[in-house]
Amino acid sequence: MSIASHSIHLNFKNNKIQHQFRVGLFNYKEVWQDLVDLKYISVFKTGSYFQINMWYQKNEILNLMTLDDSEKAMENGFLISEKLDIDLLDARKAGYHRWVNKKVYKETNKVVYSD
């Protein structure tokens, strides 16, 4: 049982985001906001988990989700990057950050790099 939680809702059709906070019985939803100046999605390893982060504006980061499976994290990162029509960065290995060729990933489900 959790006492507090934070959820992020994305409306891909209208490029909007909404945050929802829950503390006990109290529930608060922010108004829908426009997703502006999106840069890319990254899949990043932190400890034994993998974070899917959305980078926007200059260097702002929003953690969208955290998973314990590398392949599931990449799959979810790809799906979000496709829906938002932005690039995907594979940062699952420290010091080895590379852009994913999304066309190849979509066709083969294999990570191939653009550079």
Side-chain angles (χ1 to χ4, degrees):
M1 178 180 191
S2 69
I3 296 172
S5 69
H6 171 227
S7 301
I8 298 170
H9 304 274
L10 296 169
N11 179 323
F12 295 115
K13 183 178 178 184
N14 297 314
N15 256 10
K16 301 232 180 224
I17 188 169
Q18 181 188 56
H19 295 269
Q20 179 177 358
F21 303 91
R22 292 187 188 128
V23 178
L25 298 175
F26 177 72
N27 184 21
Y28 171 73
K29 289 183 182 179
E30 291 184 348
V31 297
W32 286 96
Q33 300 171 18
D34 291 330
L35 288 169
V36 294
D37 199 20
L38 298 178
K39 300 298 183 190
Y40 60 92
I41 297 293
S42 68
V43 179
F44 177 80
K45 184 171 184 183
T46 175
S48 59
Y49 295 98
F50 298 89
Q51 291 183 350
I52 299 170
N53 296 316
M54 179 172 61
W55 293 73
Y56 62 101
Q57 294 175 348
K58 291 195 177 186
N59 276 323
E60 298 294 321
I61 305 168
L62 177 63
N63 177 254
L64 299 175
M65 68 178 76
T66 302
L67 301 168
D68 60 1
D69 181 276
S70 172
E71 296 306 314
K72 286 287 183 194
M74 185 56 68
E75 183 180 312
N76 281 281
F78 169 77
L79 291 172
I80 293 167
S81 72
E82 277 288 286
K83 292 285 188 180
L84 296 173
D85 195 24
I86 55 178
D87 291 331
L88 175 62
L89 182 70
D90 183 356
R92 294 177 292 171
K93 294 180 185 174
Y96 189 74
H97 304 159
R98 299 193 59 195
W99 297 106
V100 174
N101 183 322
K102 290 176 31 181
K103 182 179 180 199
V104 172
Y105 186 86
K106 185 176 191 171
E107 294 172 357
T108 66
N109 207 33
K110 295 189 186 318
V111 176
V112 173
Y113 301 108
S114 296
D115 45 26

Short mmCIF file of all heavy atoms in Angstrom, two decimals, residues 45-72:
data_model
loop_
_atom_site.label_atom_id
_atom_site.label_comp_id
_atom_site.label_asym_id
_atom_site.label_seq_id
_atom_site.Cartn_x
_atom_site.Cartn_y
_atom_site.Cartn_z
N LYS A 45 20.57 3.62 -17.73
CA LYS A 45 20.73 2.69 -16.62
C LYS A 45 21.12 3.45 -15.37
O LYS A 45 22.02 4.28 -15.37
CB LYS A 45 21.78 1.64 -16.92
CG LYS A 45 21.87 0.61 -15.79
CD LYS A 45 22.74 -0.55 -16.14
CE LYS A 45 22.67 -1.55 -14.99
NZ LYS A 45 23.52 -2.69 -15.19
N THR A 46 20.40 3.17 -14.29
CA THR A 46 20.72 3.75 -12.99
C THR A 46 20.64 2.63 -11.96
O THR A 46 19.57 2.08 -11.73
CB THR A 46 19.79 4.93 -12.64
OG1 THR A 46 20.08 5.37 -11.33
CG2 THR A 46 18.34 4.58 -12.73
N GLY A 47 21.78 2.26 -11.41
CA GLY A 47 21.82 1.12 -10.49
C GLY A 47 21.42 -0.14 -11.24
O GLY A 47 21.98 -0.46 -12.28
N SER A 48 20.42 -0.86 -10.73
CA SER A 48 19.96 -2.07 -11.40
C SER A 48 18.67 -1.82 -12.19
O SER A 48 18.00 -2.76 -12.60
CB SER A 48 19.75 -3.19 -10.38
OG SER A 48 18.81 -2.80 -9.41
N TYR A 49 18.32 -0.56 -12.38
CA TYR A 49 17.10 -0.20 -13.10
C TYR A 49 17.41 0.61 -14.35
O TYR A 49 18.51 1.13 -14.51
CB TYR A 49 16.17 0.61 -12.18
CG TYR A 49 15.67 -0.18 -11.01
CD1 TYR A 49 16.28 -0.07 -9.76
CD2 TYR A 49 14.61 -1.07 -11.15
CE1 TYR A 49 15.83 -0.82 -8.69
CE2 TYR A 49 14.15 -1.81 -10.09
CZ TYR A 49 14.77 -1.68 -8.86
OH TYR A 49 14.33 -2.43 -7.80
N PHE A 50 16.40 0.72 -15.20
CA PHE A 50 16.52 1.48 -16.44
C PHE A 50 15.42 2.54 -16.46
O PHE A 50 14.24 2.21 -16.33
CB PHE A 50 16.39 0.55 -17.65
CG PHE A 50 17.48 -0.48 -17.69
CD1 PHE A 50 17.31 -1.70 -17.04
CD2 PHE A 50 18.68 -0.21 -18.33
CE1 PHE A 50 18.32 -2.64 -17.04
CE2 PHE A 50 19.69 -1.16 -18.33
CZ PHE A 50 19.52 -2.37 -17.68
N GLN A 51 15.82 3.78 -16.60
CA GLN A 51 14.88 4.90 -16.64
C GLN A 51 14.61 5.30 -18.08
O GLN A 51 15.52 5.34 -18.90
CB GLN A 51 15.44 6.12 -15.91
CG GLN A 51 15.55 5.98 -14.44
CD GLN A 51 16.04 7.27 -13.78
OE1 GLN A 51 16.46 8.20 -14.46
NE2 GLN A 51 15.97 7.31 -12.47
N ILE A 52 13.35 5.63 -18.34
CA ILE A 52 12.98 6.21 -19.62
C ILE A 52 12.72 7.68 -19.35
O ILE A 52 11.82 8.03 -18.58
CB ILE A 52 11.74 5.51 -20.21
CG1 ILE A 52 12.05 4.03 -20.43
CG2 ILE A 52 11.32 6.20 -21.51
CD1 ILE A 52 10.86 3.20 -20.79
N ASN A 53 13.57 8.52 -19.93
CA ASN A 53 13.52 9.96 -19.68
C ASN A 53 13.15 10.72 -20.95
O ASN A 53 13.58 10.36 -22.04
CB ASN A 53 14.87 10.47 -19.18
CG ASN A 53 15.24 9.86 -17.85
OD1 ASN A 53 14.42 9.76 -16.95
ND2 ASN A 53 16.48 9.44 -17.73
N MET A 54 12.37 11.76 -20.76
CA MET A 54 12.03 12.66 -21.86
C MET A 54 12.83 13.95 -21.65
O MET A 54 12.74 14.57 -20.60
CB MET A 54 10.53 12.97 -21.88
CG MET A 54 10.12 13.92 -22.99
SD MET A 54 8.33 14.11 -23.16
CE MET A 54 7.90 14.78 -21.55
N TRP A 55 13.63 14.31 -22.64
CA TRP A 55 14.42 15.53 -22.61
C TRP A 55 13.69 16.60 -23.39
O TRP A 55 13.20 16.35 -24.48
CB TRP A 55 15.80 15.28 -23.22
CG TRP A 55 16.64 14.35 -22.41
CD1 TRP A 55 16.46 12.99 -22.28
CD2 TRP A 55 17.76 14.67 -21.62
NE1 TRP A 55 17.42 12.47 -21.47
CE2 TRP A 55 18.24 13.48 -21.04
CE3 TRP A 55 18.43 15.86 -21.36
CZ2 TRP A 55 19.34 13.45 -20.22
CZ3 TRP A 55 19.54 15.83 -20.53
CH2 TRP A 55 19.99 14.64 -19.97
N TYR A 56 13.63 17.79 -22.83
CA TYR A 56 12.90 18.88 -23.47
C TYR A 56 13.55 20.21 -23.11
O TYR A 56 14.41 20.29 -22.24
CB TYR A 56 11.42 18.87 -23.07
CG TYR A 56 11.18 19.06 -21.59
CD1 TYR A 56 10.79 20.30 -21.09
CD2 TYR A 56 11.34 18.01 -20.69
CE1 TYR A 56 10.57 20.49 -19.74
CE2 TYR A 56 11.12 18.19 -19.34
CZ TYR A 56 10.73 19.43 -18.88
OH TYR A 56 10.52 19.61 -17.52
N GLN A 57 13.13 21.26 -23.83
CA GLN A 57 13.70 22.60 -23.72
C GLN A 57 15.21 22.51 -23.75
O GLN A 57 15.75 21.76 -24.55
CB GLN A 57 13.12 23.31 -22.51
CG GLN A 57 11.64 23.57 -22.69
CD GLN A 57 10.96 24.17 -21.49
OE1 GLN A 57 11.51 24.20 -20.40
NE2 GLN A 57 9.73 24.60 -21.69
N LYS A 58 15.93 23.25 -22.93
CA LYS A 58 17.40 23.24 -23.06
C LYS A 58 17.99 21.93 -22.54
O LYS A 58 18.59 21.18 -23.28
CB LYS A 58 18.00 24.44 -22.36
CG LYS A 58 17.68 25.70 -23.11
CD LYS A 58 18.51 26.86 -22.69
CE LYS A 58 18.14 28.04 -23.55
NZ LYS A 58 18.94 29.17 -23.37
N ASN A 59 17.88 21.62 -21.30
CA ASN A 59 18.36 20.36 -20.74
C ASN A 59 17.46 19.88 -19.62
O ASN A 59 17.93 19.33 -18.62
CB ASN A 59 19.80 20.49 -20.22
CG ASN A 59 20.81 20.32 -21.33
OD1 ASN A 59 20.64 19.51 -22.23
ND2 ASN A 59 21.88 21.09 -21.27
N GLU A 60 16.17 20.09 -19.78
CA GLU A 60 15.20 19.63 -18.78
C GLU A 60 14.92 18.15 -19.01
O GLU A 60 14.85 17.70 -20.15
CB GLU A 60 13.90 20.43 -18.87
CG GLU A 60 14.08 21.92 -18.60
CD GLU A 60 14.50 22.21 -17.17
OE1 GLU A 60 14.00 21.55 -16.24
OE2 GLU A 60 15.33 23.11 -16.98
N ILE A 61 14.74 17.41 -17.92
CA ILE A 61 14.52 15.97 -18.00
C ILE A 61 13.30 15.61 -17.16
O ILE A 61 13.14 16.09 -16.04
CB ILE A 61 15.73 15.19 -17.44
CG1 ILE A 61 17.01 15.59 -18.12
CG2 ILE A 61 15.48 13.69 -17.56
CD1 ILE A 61 18.25 15.07 -17.42
N LEU A 62 12.46 14.74 -17.72
CA LEU A 62 11.33 14.21 -16.98
C LEU A 62 11.41 12.70 -17.04
O LEU A 62 11.42 12.11 -18.13
CB LEU A 62 10.01 14.69 -17.59
CG LEU A 62 8.74 14.14 -16.95
CD1 LEU A 62 8.63 14.56 -15.48
CD2 LEU A 62 7.52 14.59 -17.73
N ASN A 63 11.51 12.05 -15.88
CA ASN A 63 11.52 10.59 -15.82
C ASN A 63 10.09 10.10 -16.04
O ASN A 63 9.21 10.41 -15.25
CB ASN A 63 12.08 10.10 -14.49
CG ASN A 63 12.01 8.59 -14.39
OD1 ASN A 63 11.19 8.06 -13.67
ND2 ASN A 63 12.86 7.91 -15.13
N LEU A 64 9.88 9.35 -17.11
CA LEU A 64 8.55 8.85 -17.43
C LEU A 64 8.25 7.52 -16.76
O LEU A 64 7.12 7.27 -16.36
CB LEU A 64 8.39 8.70 -18.95
CG LEU A 64 8.54 9.98 -19.76
CD1 LEU A 64 8.49 9.67 -21.25
CD2 LEU A 64 7.44 10.97 -19.38
N MET A 65 9.27 6.66 -16.66
CA MET A 65 9.07 5.37 -15.98
C MET A 65 10.42 4.74 -15.69
O MET A 65 11.43 5.11 -16.27
CB MET A 65 8.20 4.43 -16.81
CG MET A 65 8.80 3.93 -18.09
SD MET A 65 7.73 2.77 -19.00
CE MET A 65 6.53 3.90 -19.70
N THR A 66 10.39 3.79 -14.77
CA THR A 66 11.57 3.03 -14.39
C THR A 66 11.22 1.56 -14.45
O THR A 66 10.20 1.14 -13.91
CB THR A 66 12.04 3.41 -12.97
OG1 THR A 66 12.30 4.83 -12.94
CG2 THR A 66 13.29 2.67 -12.58
N LEU A 67 12.05 0.79 -15.13
CA LEU A 67 11.83 -0.65 -15.30
C LEU A 67 13.09 -1.41 -14.90
O LEU A 67 14.18 -0.85 -14.91
CB LEU A 67 11.46 -0.97 -16.75
CG LEU A 67 10.20 -0.28 -17.30
CD1 LEU A 67 10.12 -0.45 -18.80
CD2 LEU A 67 8.96 -0.84 -16.63
N ASP A 68 12.93 -2.70 -14.61
CA ASP A 68 14.11 -3.49 -14.25
C ASP A 68 14.61 -4.36 -15.40
O ASP A 68 15.62 -5.03 -15.28
CB ASP A 68 13.85 -4.35 -13.01
CG ASP A 68 12.70 -5.34 -13.18
OD1 ASP A 68 12.11 -5.39 -14.27
OD2 ASP A 68 12.41 -6.07 -12.22
N ASP A 69 13.94 -4.33 -16.54
CA ASP A 69 14.33 -5.12 -17.70
C ASP A 69 14.82 -4.20 -18.83
O ASP A 69 14.07 -3.34 -19.30
CB ASP A 69 13.12 -5.95 -18.16
CG ASP A 69 13.45 -6.83 -19.34
OD1 ASP A 69 13.40 -6.32 -20.49
OD2 ASP A 69 13.76 -8.02 -19.13
N SER A 70 16.04 -4.43 -19.25
CA SER A 70 16.68 -3.60 -20.28
C SER A 70 15.90 -3.58 -21.59
O SER A 70 15.68 -2.53 -22.20
CB SER A 70 18.10 -4.11 -20.52
OG SER A 70 18.69 -3.47 -21.61
N GLU A 71 15.49 -4.75 -22.05
CA GLU A 71 14.79 -4.85 -23.34
C GLU A 71 13.40 -4.21 -23.27
O GLU A 71 12.98 -3.55 -24.21
CB GLU A 71 14.68 -6.31 -23.78
CG GLU A 71 16.03 -6.96 -24.07
CD GLU A 71 16.87 -6.17 -25.07
OE1 GLU A 71 16.35 -5.75 -26.11
OE2 GLU A 71 18.08 -5.98 -24.80
N LYS A 72 12.69 -4.40 -22.17
CA LYS A 72 11.37 -3.76 -21.99
C LYS A 72 11.52 -2.25 -21.93
O LYS A 72 10.68 -1.52 -22.45
CB LYS A 72 10.68 -4.28 -20.72
CG LYS A 72 10.15 -5.66 -20.85
CD LYS A 72 8.92 -5.68 -21.71
CE LYS A 72 8.33 -7.07 -21.77
NZ LYS A 72 7.37 -7.24 -22.82
#
